[in-house]
Amino acid sequence: MSAAILLVVTKYPDIYTVLAAAACAVTAGITMTKLAYRGAVLGGLLVAASLTLQSVLAYRCLDCIRADILLLSGTIFLSIVEQGKMRKPLRVMAALMTLLLAVNVVTHSPITGLNKAGAAPADRIERYLEAAVDGSYVTLDTQVKPVLFFSPTCGPCKETVAQLIGIDPEGNAWAPVQAGGDPEDGREYLRQSGYRGNLYQRGWSGPVPALFLSREGKTMEIRGTGEILEAVRGAGD
């Protein structure tokens, strides 16, 4: 149930969030019955579905990962207390899901808030990056203007994007790049917050929100609302 509450509180209420929260609530209900092991199985399947969907949509949702960890914690607990014939299968499933989630988190960056700024790997984002805008492709220079990767379905993105729009609604000092999903959703998402500049699109599988800024030959990846705002203000000076 804690995973459902987390999703409802932090994420944009799109169809994915509603379905995920409902599934988490159903899972919590099943675990309260005599067939609690089915809730453990469903929890494991939800974690697998979440990671798969994030891969398909080509971005990492930190709120979703946090919810996955809560679901996995419940699955592990149920696999430990289960004494019936499902005890061994549940433990094997819990171990596999733990490994899968751990590999995913390590691969796409930890969610602990550490290393909020650092050199971006050359095979991901460099100083110049190509992005789509209004059906055409343009080259963005992250040394001239910082680039913010976001998703309209990302909870943490909402505060960051809103504050950046409050500072610069025209997008003169920063460029919003939607990391996957329907561009119409992104335009509506920005419009509701008062943004009046261009929206760019580029596939990226890393966590969002993330700001990329090049200085002295290095491209830095910056996370955290405060750090992102400070970087954009500094770039505009």
Side-chain angles (χ1 to χ4, degrees), residues 14 17 44 49 69 79 95 110 118 130 137 155 208 219 236:
D14 61 2
T17 300
I69 291 174
S79 71
E130 191 177 65
Y137 285 91
V208 289
T219 300

Side-chain angles (χ1 to χ4, degrees), residues 44 47-49 51-52 72 93-107:
V47 173
L51 297 178
T52 300
L72 182 58
M93 182 193 72
L96 290 175
M97 295 310 302
T98 300
L99 178 61
L100 178 62
L101 183 58
V103 169
N104 185 278
V105 170
V106 170
T107 300

Side-chain angles (χ1 to χ4, degrees), residues 32 62 66 99 107-108 118 122 129 134 136 150 176 180 196 202 205 229-230:
M32 302 300 291
L62 299 188
R66 293 185 179 100
L99 178 61
T107 300
H108 296 284
L129 61 92
D134 297 329
S136 301
F150 78 99
R196 299 188 294 272
R202 176 189 167 99
S205 60
L229 293 173
E230 182 178 351

